[in-house]
Amino acid sequence: MENKDFSDEKLNQLQDHTTDNSGAALTTNQGLKINNNQDSLKAGERGPSLLEDFILREKITHFDHERIPERIVHARGSGAHGTFKLTKSLAKYTKAKFLSEEGKETPVFARFSTVAGSAGSTDLARDVRGFAVKFYTEEGNYDLVGNNIPVFFIQDAIKFPDLIHAVKPEPDNQIPQAASAHDTFWDFISLMPESMHMIMWAMSDRAIPRSLRMMEGFGVHTFKFVNEEGKMHFVKFHFKPKLGVHSVAWDEATKISGKDSDFHRRDLWDAIENGAFPEWDFGVQIIPEEDEHKFDFDLLDPTKLIPEEEVPVELVGTLTLNRNPDNFFAETEQIAFHPGHLVPGIDFTNDPLLQGRLFSYTDTQLSRLGSPNFHEIPINRSINTVHNNQRDGHMRQQIVKGKVSYEPNSMGGGCPFQAMMKDGGFATQEERVDAKKIRARSKSFVDHYSQAKLFYNSQSAPEQKHIQNALIFELSKVTIPAIRERVVGQLAFIDKDLANKVAKKVGVQVTKLEQPNGSIPADADPKTLQSEEREPNTKKSEALSMKNTVKDSIESRIIGFIMEDGVNAAEVNALKSKLEGKGAMVQVISGSLSPVTADDGTTFTPKHSLTSTASVCFDALYIAAGKKSAENLLDEENRPGTLLFVNEAYKHCKAICFGSGTEDILKQSNVGSKKHEDPAIITSEQQNAGDDFIKAVANHRVWELEAERNNPA
Ligand code: HDD
């Protein structure tokens, strides 16, 4: 059992439930072959349909019931299968088998999501992203149900329905969809100072990722590891993308929403289909039990992170997604995550947000999936066979033999029996709780601004600017001035300059709030629980800025090659193979979808036309070499599209490479007014143009030149 390979176990299990229709005749749900799927049964060719048409009735009935309620939050999501490989044993800290045996591979299914929007909403909403991973371990399913942001808006689950009601479309008119920029969200936030740290993250570029493959994942809460000896350590979970953490510009996000609202879903799907498997390093921050109180915040407070400077992240495994689902509904939609799906060696803490979640996730599946038997849906099945005395219910699939459905029993030989801990039986980590029953918040939770300051101060200048702009955008949509003023008052506790800049643009004054805490128990002395303006122990953390992310790869980046007839085949092919050699994906864009004839008579097949796509759907542009091609791109018909492409890519700080003979396009576009050195504008005169272009694409964007690029002469 110990060394058995479980990596294909889930795939094999799913295959038992997978149907392939190739070569098969159409049947009813009862397996009866259907001879006519075009006409209903009628009394005469022009007569009424007959109730006895069981084929029509079955088809329509099934259709009428094929929708299920979407998730109450995280409705919009995309998922994929993959594997988790342990590279360094954590047996010292946990007895969880999938984290103990070095080299062990565990099948997984991951689902990424936005939070606020409906299932059909845009992928590019400014929002937190869900990052949920189901590990199909030999000891049962382990779910890590996290986000791409390491902290949360609220400290106690009792506030979750309020938070979600506030952010969802307003109840009278269902406006706006998938957006936090409206009155009710900011009304709530302005009265919830504990949300300020999360607000800094949610207003940062982390909330508009370039790709689901380029974002971090966090377990958020502090969890517990328990080893074979019963010793406990606290742990925080991290996923760090191998491709680095990258985002798009807000203006770009709004445009992608129009051009391709499935942008992230498509990107994940295409990357996997093309063999560019998304990968993350999996890491842990381990805190010995004795150190629980050594931090300037409470480990149980989900609005706090542990700075990596205080506890480094130890990388111990790799998550790879390598297979798209066969069927979105059966897999991505029906997967049911739960932070309480544990394996021996992992336990939860008393974090009051996590404690409430432990109730919510099973409860919600009952209305979403309709039955307590949701664990029997293939994607949710454990690879371990389930044995217990739970019986019946809607859609029960398991056929359990025998008369016994109770325990203790003698008639079933005492089976299924309780497993001893040494045989993998789960036992909750014992913890002494000697307390009054009380509906209150711990004083150790009442510091709402110090980590918001830490985050804001750790950002580079362009990142800070983006946070300011995001707040200005969002608050400008708030119609009630008092709400705008309260939010700005909250910001003043984080950074005066930020508050002033936002206040100026949203037409309010910065007034110091007397009582910043909105969550004080009724019988407490407000003074004692008021959030203090405290400085964090760690003043700045490199890990919190995306400026310091990995920037060494162009793998899976989409490079648009803009060309027309007369293009220089030799130059284009040389760059194409150089880029593809580094894993980038080249897509040809032309004035139309007709093949482009190059100077040597060969042809290139466009994937897009200038009107069917936009620069926002690409990571970088190459204006393909060739004077004739450039002339054609600037003819009356193509000129607006060509210049819009270049100008928008320029505005969004992307790398643009101009091939030889395309000088006129450069000059006529906004790039022509460039006054400073710009490492992401590459021309064919440069000696190593190809390498410089690759470097610029790997760097993602020249955010530091945003002001200059957005103010062309
Ligand atoms: Fe939650 C779904 C993440 C707090 C109640 N949550 C859901 C999903 C993710 C998270 C990623 C989607 C899972 C999927 O892809 O199917 N939720 C979080 C994180 C939280 C958090 C990181 C805080 C640290 N959630 C939270 C609270 C509650 C819920 C406090 C309720 C008290 N969450 C739910 C839910 C959902 C859900 C209503 C909706 C669909 C589902 O569970 O299966 O139960």
Side-chain angles (χ1 to χ4, degrees):
M1 174 101 176
E2 283 297 295
N3 291 321
K4 194 174 165 211
D5 179 7
F6 289 91
S7 52
D8 286 334
E9 204 87 345
K10 188 65 196 174
L11 180 61
N12 297 341
Q13 190 192 50
L14 287 172
Q15 268 164 0
D16 290 344
H17 300 273
T18 308
T19 312
D20 183 350
N21 286 334
S22 345
L26 196 64
T27 71
T28 65
N29 285 335
Q30 305 307 317
L32 174 74
K33 284 187 187 156
I34 296 174
N35 160 264
N36 178 346
N37 190 35
Q38 316 307 320
D39 304 299
S40 50
L41 195 67
K42 300 179 198 78
E45 277 167 14
R46 301 183 59 253
S49 299
L50 298 178
L51 184 62
E52 74 171 64
D53 187 352
F54 61 94
I55 295 179
L56 171 78
R57 280 198 332 262
E58 183 198 81
K59 186 172 175 181
I60 302 279
T61 301
H62 199 278
F63 171 75
D64 287 346
H65 297 272
E66 70 189 24
R67 289 286 166 273
I68 62 167
E70 63 176 34
R71 288 168 175 80
I72 184 87
V73 280
H74 298 266
R76 169 80 189 173
S78 305
H81 293 272
T83 165
F84 171 75
K85 184 168 185 181
L86 191 72
T87 48
K88 190 173 167 200
S89 170
L90 288 172
K92 207 163 34 149
Y93 306 113
T94 174
K95 60 184 167 187
K97 288 209 169 115
F98 81 108
L99 294 176
S100 300
E101 291 161 34
E102 230 163 79
K104 193 179 192 84
E105 289 193 35
T106 303
V108 300
F109 190 91
R111 183 175 179 273
F112 309 106
S113 44
T114 51
V115 179
S118 297
S121 60
T122 173
D123 279 339
L124 266 289
R126 190 199 305 284
D127 200 351
V128 182
R129 298 298 185 285
F131 195 121
V133 184
K134 191 181 281 291
F135 298 81
Y136 300 99
T137 90
E138 66 196 273
E139 299 178 290
N141 292 344
Y142 172 64
D143 292 356
L144 195 43
V145 198
N147 280 340
N148 74 329
I149 291 179
V151 290
F152 204 64
F153 292 100
I154 47 169
Q155 294 174 322
D156 192 308
I158 201 164
K159 299 308 299 167
F160 192 69
D162 299 293
L163 167 73
I164 300 306
H165 286 172
V167 73
K168 283 270 183 183
E170 297 185 5
D172 52 351
N173 57 13
Q174 278 294 294
I175 299 175
Q177 178 55 244
S180 51
H182 59 113
D183 287 353
T184 53
F185 178 68
W186 288 100
D187 185 25
F188 177 77
I189 293 299
S190 71
L191 297 167
M192 292 294 285
E194 69 201 55
S195 66
M196 279 301 127
H197 183 199
M198 177 72 165
I199 284 293
M200 288 296 105
W201 284 82
M203 293 298 115
S204 80
D205 292 345
R206 305 266 180 163
I208 38 173
R210 154 64 182 86
S211 160
L212 301 170
R213 305 173 291 123
M214 297 174 201
M215 58 185 205
E216 287 176 292
F218 301 93
V220 183
H221 312 279
T222 304
F223 291 89
K224 287 176 182 173
F225 267 164
V226 185
N227 69 11
E228 283 292 355
E229 287 75 50
K231 165 104 181 115
M232 191 273 274
H233 285 81
F234 292 104
V235 59
K236 289 263 194 197
F237 295 113
H238 296 250
F239 291 101
K240 291 180 181 275
K242 297 249 194 194
L243 296 175
V245 192
H246 302 288
S247 290
V248 299
W250 174 237
D251 178 64
E252 203 183 342
T254 59
K255 289 174 175 151
I256 296 173
S257 293
K259 290 286 174 188
D260 183 7
S261 66
D262 302 305
F263 187 73
H264 284 155
R265 181 175 286 178
R266 190 187 310 285
D267 168 274
L268 180 68
W269 182 275
D270 287 351
I272 294 174
E273 290 301 296
N274 289 326
F277 298 145
E279 279 193 329
W280 287 261
D281 284 319
F282 175 72
V284 287
Q285 284 175 298
I286 307 264
I287 305 98
E289 188 173 5
E290 313 74 86
D291 290 351
E292 180 176 1
H293 301 292
K294 125 178 167 185
F295 301 93
D296 61 332
F297 52 87
D298 195 324
L299 283 184
L300 301 186
D301 174 357
T303 65
K304 304 296 181 297
L305 52 83
I306 307 180
E308 293 188 23
E309 286 72 12
E310 294 183 36
V311 181
V313 176
E314 209 180 321
L315 301 181
V316 297
T318 312
L319 170 73
T320 308
L321 300 182
N322 52 20
R323 193 168 70 82
N324 279 317
D326 285 316
N327 184 285
F328 184 92
F329 181 83
E331 300 171 81
T332 311
E333 191 57 24
Q334 293 202 107
I335 194 160
F337 292 95
H338 190 322
H341 290 165
L342 298 177
V343 289
I346 308 182
D347 212 335
F348 30 77
T349 55
N350 297 332
D351 172 341
L353 188 70
L354 176 55
Q355 293 277 318
R357 292 181 74 190
L358 297 175
F359 166 72
S360 187
Y361 287 72
T362 307
D363 188 45
T364 202
Q365 312 310 345
L366 298 180
S367 63
R368 194 171 77 84
L369 299 169
S371 154
N373 291 319
F374 64 85
H375 63 279
E376 295 193 330
I377 297 172
I379 194 69
N380 293 326
R381 287 190 180 202
S382 144
I383 58 172
N384 241 359
T385 320
V386 171
H387 298 281
N388 59 41
N389 295 314
Q390 294 170 30
R391 289 291 185 275
D392 311 343
H394 280 293
M395 302 293 167
R396 184 66 175 182
Q397 313 217 0
Q398 200 177 12
I399 303 167
V400 190
K401 288 201 213 176
K403 291 182 188 296
V404 169
S405 54
Y406 52 88
E407 192 274 343
N409 66 68
S410 67
M411 284 171 62
C415 296
F417 52 86
Q418 294 182 170
M420 313 265 275
M421 271 170 78
K422 70 172 178 51
D423 297 323
F426 178 86
T428 293
Q429 172 72 357
E430 286 184 9
E431 183 185 334
R432 191 183 168 81
V433 179
D434 186 5
K436 267 193 302 190
K437 195 191 286 182
I438 179 170
R439 199 179 277 283
R441 190 108 17 132
S442 167
K443 279 189 190 171
S444 56
F445 277 42
V446 193
D447 156 33
H448 301 323
Y449 305 111
S450 67
Q451 288 210 346
K453 284 185 201 174
L454 163 67
F455 180 76
Y456 190 69
N457 292 338
S458 301
Q459 303 301 295
S460 62
E463 287 171 303
Q464 287 192 342
K465 182 87 188 146
H466 292 174
I467 295 174
Q468 287 163 24
N469 289 345
L471 284 160
I472 291 166
F473 174 90
E474 297 267 316
L475 294 179
S476 300
K477 304 272 180 183
V478 171
T479 63
I480 300 166
I483 297 177
R484 302 202 290 267
E485 193 161 307
R486 271 204 307 274
V487 175
V488 166
Q490 296 287 357
L491 298 179
F493 288 106
I494 302 167
D495 188 276
K496 301 267 177 322
D497 180 55
L498 169 68
N500 285 328
K501 285 192 167 123
V502 175
K504 196 170 150 213
K505 288 285 185 189
V506 303
V508 295
Q509 300 295 319
V510 183
T511 39
K512 183 147 183 167
L513 298 179
E514 284 301 311
Q515 174 47 273
N517 195 323
S519 52
I520 295 171
D523 60 346
D525 171 2
K527 291 272 177 310
T528 61
L529 282 174
Q530 190 163 327
S531 181
E532 305 141 16
E533 283 194 77
R534 201 196 276 173
E535 287 304 314
N537 276 358
T538 301
K539 306 275 178 278
K540 224 173 159 173
S541 172
E542 297 258 302
L544 301 184
S545 167
M546 289 164 58
K547 183 171 186 241
N548 306 316
T549 191
V550 184
K551 292 177 178 169
D552 60 1
S553 161
I554 64 164
E555 207 185 300
S556 77
R557 294 300 190 137
I558 307 172
I559 322 278
F561 273 35
I562 303 189
M563 61 173 73
E564 255 298 344
D565 286 343
V567 69
N568 178 332
E571 236 182 273
V572 170
N573 283 324
L575 185 65
K576 184 167 179 283
S577 42
K578 207 172 169 101
L579 293 170
E580 288 176 344
K582 298 270 180 200
M585 295 190 253
V586 167
Q587 297 182 358
V588 173
I589 307 155
S590 185
S592 74
L593 292 182
S594 308
V596 177
T597 309
D599 55 357
D600 64 356
T602 58
T603 55
F604 292 96
T605 310
K607 185 171 167 70
H608 314 274
S609 77
L610 286 168
T611 39
S612 70
T613 185
S615 77
V616 291
C617 299
F618 299 85
D619 286 294
L621 294 185
Y622 170 58
I623 315 303
K627 205 164 173 50
K628 186 76 201 136
S629 163
E631 272 170 29
N632 287 332
L633 284 170
L634 287 176
D635 72 14
E636 205 184 331
E637 229 170 89
N638 291 329
R639 190 170 189 278
T642 303
L643 294 185
L644 183 65
F645 248 88
V646 176
N647 289 342
E648 282 197 336
Y650 187 60
K651 180 182 158 107
H652 299 141
C653 301
K654 293 176 182 173
I656 312 176
C657 180
F658 291 88
S660 62
T662 64
E663 295 76 12
D664 281 350
I665 298 182
L666 187 151
K667 276 191 217 133
Q668 291 183 36
S669 71
N670 290 339
V671 186
S673 65
K674 168 168 90 74
K675 289 180 282 298
H676 304 284
E677 275 297 292
D678 189 328
I681 299 298
I682 288 102
T683 57
S684 57
E685 288 109 64
Q686 283 169 234
Q687 219 172 24
N688 300 313
D691 293 334
D692 292 348
F693 187 42
I694 287 173
K695 198 164 152 215
V697 179
N699 258 326
H700 186 61
R701 304 294 170 88
V702 279
W703 294 125
E704 63 283 6
L705 294 178
E706 198 169 16
E708 129 109 4
R709 280 190 173 206
N710 276 270
N711 283 303

